[in-house]
């Protein structure tokens, strides 16, 4: 009791002496006391404020995201929050709450401070009534060893959490260049459920693709070291219904990137294409579907050969040029090449560019080379391993007594995964569904087949590659250019038959129907 009384008397004496001191002396005494405390203390303290003047402090938000995992497990009191366009709940430390963690063997402590702000005295100050900041405590002996690396770790971890918590978006380029918000892209939430687990593809091929994606996602240092822009190109080709769009959705869900679906027919020039590119974000997937149908990207060597064989009259050339100018895109092959691998392609990082086509042989080889399309993925007909994935998805079975019979006919039937899925979804009973599939596969043996180039091969019956009549156009002496329009009608009829087969994937037409056309 006497000790407390003596201590109170000492504190009172100190306060009385301070009141007699001049202000300058008190200030010097306070500084000396703080210096003595800092010198004798074993710790260093760092404050991370929410605002730096009138601008927000990005480090404060990163610290808050980084500590959300610690707050959810070790904090006695936490604040729950769900931000806009976020798919997860975020934890943050409550007022005066403390947490600690270890980094490279060093112990660090964080505390969240919230103080009442003084009355607003300037129109430039923030309107918040509270002053928030985090204080970091670290031992002096660990400061030089781990502090810089620890702050970098916080920034990287926060970026990963922010990317994972954010809801993926699906973008499309706005018609007439800009929407009413003066933005070239319009977006909706990306909700496609396709994943590599549900994708009807051979497991070995899926593993190859996922490994390539993982190497790309963690390859920032590698791409920087070799002097290449951080991007990757994928070409998906194959007949319709083989799952090219599902593959794109699976890649988006695997990487967590936003998807930019670029409609080239709405792009009027190469300059506009570059503007769309620089308005895309990092960690994104740029998709151009059916690229062979969007703009004229056919092989230039083939075009030169066709031009030498049959020259088009000038009047017809002018008419077609005017029609192309009025109808569609004026994007050129050169503009698209610069888009994928030119100087403008390095304006962002961690981007994936995906092209899809049903006919790879119609594309110019310059578009397909490495550096532009780094990985070519052939989306084939449904194989037996892919069928087992579909059976698990639709029927919930991994084995069945009819599986050997399906395996015996599935390669010869060459049905697309879309056709197999349509049969399985109609029959919920596994036995009935597999019987219907076997019958369909046996019936599909006589239908035309499609090879990797997208060309039809000869089947046992129906309209195969040999069933299309070969029309030879011969220009006799005295034939003027005006008659060439009628001479090219057989070729146009062949193209219409081929397009009809490609787009509708219908059973083969008989020869009587073809001759009537």
């Amino acid at each position: 009791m006497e000790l407390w009384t003596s201590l109170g008397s000492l504190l009172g004496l100190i306060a009385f002496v301070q009141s007699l001191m001049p202000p300058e002396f008190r200030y010097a005494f306070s500084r000396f006391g703080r210096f003595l405390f800092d010198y004798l203390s074993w710790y260093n303290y760092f404050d991370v404020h929410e605002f730096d003047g009138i601008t927000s402090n990005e480090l404060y938000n990163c610290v808050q995201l980084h500590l959300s995992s610690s707050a959810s497990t070790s904090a006695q009191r936490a604040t729950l929050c769900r931000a806009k366009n976020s798919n997860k709940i975020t934890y943050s430390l409550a007022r005066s709450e403390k947490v600690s963690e270890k980094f490279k063997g060093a112990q660090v402590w964080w505390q969240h401070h919230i103080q009442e702000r003084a009355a607003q005295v300037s129109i430039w100050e923030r309107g918040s009534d509270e002053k928030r900041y985090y204080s970091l405590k670290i031992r002096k002996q660990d400061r030089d060893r781990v502090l810089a690396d620890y702050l970098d770790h916080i920034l990287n971890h926060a970026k990963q959490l922010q990317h994972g918590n954010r809801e993926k978006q699906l973008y499309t380029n706005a018609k007439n260049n800009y929407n009413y918000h003066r933005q070239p892209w319009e977006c909706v939430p990306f909700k496609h459920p396709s994943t590599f687990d549900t994708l009807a593809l051979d497991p070995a091929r899926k593993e190859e693709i996922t490994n390539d994606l993982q190497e790309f996602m963690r390859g920032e240092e590698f791409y920087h070291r070799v002097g290449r822009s951080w991007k990757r190109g994928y070409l998906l080709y194959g007949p319709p219904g083989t799952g090219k769009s599902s593959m794109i959705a699976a890649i988006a869900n695997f990487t967590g990137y936003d998807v930019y679906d670029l409609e080239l027919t709405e792009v009027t020039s190469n300059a506009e294409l570059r503007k769309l590119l620089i308005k895309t974000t990092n960690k994104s997937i740029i998709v151009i579907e059916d690229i062979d149908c969007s703009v004229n990207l056919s092989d230039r060597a083939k075009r030169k050969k066709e031009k030498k064989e049959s020259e088009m009259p000038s009047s017809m050339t002018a008419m077609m040029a005017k029609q192309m100018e009025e109808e569609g895109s004026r994007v050129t092959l050169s503009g698209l090449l610069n888009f994928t691998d030119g100087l403008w392609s390095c304006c962002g990082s961690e981007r994936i560019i995906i092209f899809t086509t049903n006919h790879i042989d119609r594309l110019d080889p310059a578009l397909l080379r490495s550096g532009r399309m780094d990985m070519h993925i052939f989306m084939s007909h449904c194989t037996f391993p892919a069928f087992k994935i579909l059976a698990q998805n639709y029927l919930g079975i991994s084995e069945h007594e009819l599986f050997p019979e399906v395996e015996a006919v599935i390669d010869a039937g060459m049905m697309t995964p879309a056709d197999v899925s349509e049969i399985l979804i109609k029959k919920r009973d596994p036995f009935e569904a597999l019987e219907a599939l076997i019958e369909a596969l046996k019936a599909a043996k006589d239908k035309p087949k499609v090879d990797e180039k997208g060309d039809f091969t000869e089947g046992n019956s129906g309209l195969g590659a040999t069933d299309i009549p070969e029309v030879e156009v011969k220009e006799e002496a005295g034939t003027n250019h005006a008659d060439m329009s009628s001479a090219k009608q057989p070729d146009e009829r062949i193209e219409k038959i081929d397009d009809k087969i490609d787009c509708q994937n219908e059973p083969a037409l008989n020869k009587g129907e073809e001759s009537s056309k």
Side-chain angles (χ1 to χ4, degrees):
M1 190 66 178
E2 294 180 357
L3 177 62
W4 290 108
T5 303
S6 302
L7 183 60
S9 301
L10 179 61
L11 292 177
L13 179 61
I14 293 175
F16 176 73
V17 172
Q18 283 185 346
S19 64
L20 298 178
M21 293 180 182
E24 295 81 2
F25 188 78
R26 289 202 306 266
Y27 176 71
F29 183 78
S30 175
R31 288 191 59 185
F32 176 76
R34 183 174 298 179
F35 170 77
L36 187 63
F37 175 79
D38 293 339
Y39 180 78
L40 297 178
S41 176
W42 291 355
Y43 302 97
N44 285 135
Y45 297 85
F46 303 91
D47 293 337
V48 183
H49 291 268
E50 184 179 9
F51 295 104
D52 182 14
I54 62 174
T55 59
S56 60
N57 188 358
E58 183 181 357
L59 183 58
Y60 177 89
N61 298 326
C62 292
V63 170
Q64 187 166 358
L65 278 174
H66 170 72
L67 296 178
S68 60
S69 56
S70 301
S72 62
T73 56
S74 60
Q76 295 182 354
R77 190 177 184 87
T79 302
L80 303 180
C81 176
R82 186 179 186 274
K84 185 179 180 181
N85 296 330
S86 176
N87 55 8
K88 293 182 180 179
I89 296 176
T90 303
Y91 295 80
S92 60
L93 296 179
R95 182 195 297 264
S96 302
E97 193 67 25
K98 298 179 181 179
V99 292
S100 64
E101 61 180 358
K102 280 190 175 183
F103 179 77
K104 292 185 177 181
Q107 190 79 22
V108 294
W109 294 265
W110 286 97
Q111 184 174 6
H112 193 203
H113 300 274
I114 302 178
Q115 300 175 354
E116 298 297 329
R117 187 185 295 271
Q120 184 175 350
V121 296
S122 172
I123 60 174
W124 303 107
E125 292 185 359
R126 289 280 180 171
S128 176
D129 295 332
E130 295 179 336
K131 178 182 178 182
R132 299 181 179 90
Y133 65 96
Y134 285 97
S135 64
L136 168 64
K137 185 174 74 170
I138 186 171
R139 289 188 176 92
K140 290 182 178 180
Q141 61 185 7
D142 297 328
R143 172 177 175 172
D144 297 334
R145 183 173 64 90
V146 301
L147 181 60
D149 295 338
Y150 181 57
L151 294 178
D152 291 338
H153 167 69
I154 290 175
L155 294 175
N156 295 330
H157 186 214
K159 288 180 180 179
Q160 294 177 2
L161 292 176
Q162 187 176 15
H163 178 70
N165 294 342
R166 186 176 56 85
E167 193 175 47
K168 294 186 293 293
Q169 300 292 319
L170 175 62
Y171 292 84
T172 184
N173 47 314
K175 193 173 183 180
N176 299 326
N177 302 344
Y178 292 93
N179 58 15
Y180 62 92
H181 290 305
R182 302 297 299 167
Q183 296 294 329
W185 295 97
E186 297 175 345
C187 68
V188 294
F190 184 80
K191 300 290 188 181
H192 202 290
S194 177
T195 63
F196 279 105
D197 293 333
T198 61
L199 189 64
L201 193 67
D202 290 349
R205 190 59 169 162
K206 282 197 285 190
E207 184 179 2
E208 180 184 358
I209 297 171
T210 54
N211 290 340
D212 187 80
L213 289 170
Q214 288 177 345
E215 289 294 330
F216 168 76
M217 293 169 65
R218 54 175 177 252
E220 180 179 8
E221 183 179 352
F222 169 78
Y223 280 89
H224 180 73
R225 178 169 54 85
V226 300
R228 293 186 56 174
S229 57
W230 192 10
K231 64 180 183 61
R232 189 77 172 159
Y234 294 90
L235 176 68
L236 310 182
Y237 67 100
T242 51
K244 293 185 285 293
S245 298
S246 298
M247 170 67 79
I248 296 172
I251 292 176
N253 288 325
F254 182 81
T255 59
Y257 294 174
D258 291 333
V259 179
Y260 289 82
D261 187 10
L262 179 58
E263 181 59 49
L264 281 182
T265 56
E266 297 292 340
V267 183
T268 58
S269 64
N270 294 333
E272 184 186 339
L273 185 62
R274 289 194 295 269
K275 293 178 182 178
L276 288 170
L277 175 64
I278 63 178
K279 289 295 184 180
T280 58
T281 60
N282 297 335
K283 295 181 180 292
S284 61
I285 301 173
I286 302 174
V287 178
I288 303 179
E289 294 193 275
D290 297 323
I291 190 171
D292 56 306
C293 302
S294 301
V295 292
N296 187 14
L297 302 176
S298 57
D299 192 346
R300 287 169 288 186
K302 292 182 180 179
R303 293 203 305 266
K304 291 180 181 178
K305 183 178 179 180
E306 293 174 356
K307 185 177 181 181
K308 290 181 180 179
E309 291 178 352
S310 59
E311 293 185 355
M312 191 175 295
S314 58
S315 59
M316 185 178 298
T317 304
M319 185 182 302
M320 292 184 63
K322 183 178 180 181
Q323 183 179 3
M324 290 178 62
E325 182 177 356
E326 292 176 353
E327 289 181 356
S329 172
R330 291 192 295 273
V331 175
T332 63
L333 175 61
S334 174
L336 194 60
L337 294 180
N338 291 330
F339 174 84
T340 56
D341 195 34
L343 292 176
W344 288 95
S345 65
C346 61
C347 62
S349 62
E350 202 169 354
R351 284 199 181 106
I352 295 176
I353 301 176
I354 300 179
F355 292 163
T356 71
T357 179
N358 295 337
H359 302 277
I360 189 174
D361 59 324
R362 295 182 183 177
L363 301 180
D364 193 282
L367 192 65
L368 306 179
R369 70 165 178 82
S370 298
R372 294 191 176 112
M373 293 293 104
D374 303 288
M375 192 174 187
H376 296 187
I377 303 174
F378 175 60
M379 307 297 293
S380 66
H381 293 87
C382 188
T383 60
F384 184 70
F387 156 75
K388 295 184 69 175
I389 297 175
L390 292 177
Q392 180 66 40
N393 294 341
Y394 290 94
L395 304 177
I397 57 175
S398 57
E399 295 293 338
H400 196 273
E401 58 182 339
L402 294 179
F403 274 15
E405 190 171 351
V406 174
E407 185 178 7
V409 296
I410 193 169
D411 291 335
M414 294 185 70
M415 294 181 65
T416 64
D419 294 333
V420 175
S421 301
E422 186 63 25
I423 295 174
L424 298 181
I425 202 172
K426 290 180 179 178
K427 305 284 187 179
R428 300 303 174 90
D429 181 70
F431 193 86
E432 294 179 1
L434 294 178
E435 279 191 333
L437 177 61
I438 293 171
E439 293 178 2
L441 288 171
K442 291 180 179 179
K445 289 183 179 180
D446 298 332
K447 293 183 180 180
K449 311 299 186 294
V450 180
D451 58 14
E452 290 193 9
K453 293 184 177 180
D455 299 328
F456 282 88
T457 60
E458 184 176 2
N460 296 332
S461 64
L463 184 59
T466 57
D467 295 326
I468 301 178
E470 295 184 0
V471 181
E472 185 177 1
V473 180
K474 296 182 179 180
E475 185 176 355
E476 298 179 345
T479 304
N480 54 24
H481 290 287
D483 297 332
M484 292 187 64
S485 60
S486 59
K488 293 184 73 65
Q489 290 180 359
D491 290 338
E492 294 174 357
R493 184 169 69 251
I494 296 174
E495 293 176 359
K496 289 180 179 179
I497 294 174
D498 189 61
D499 291 338
K500 187 173 182 180
I501 297 174
D502 293 340
C503 298
Q504 299 180 359
N505 198 20
E506 293 179 347
L509 300 173
N510 56 44
K511 294 184 179 180
E513 293 177 346
E514 180 182 349
S515 60
S516 65
K517 291 187 179 181

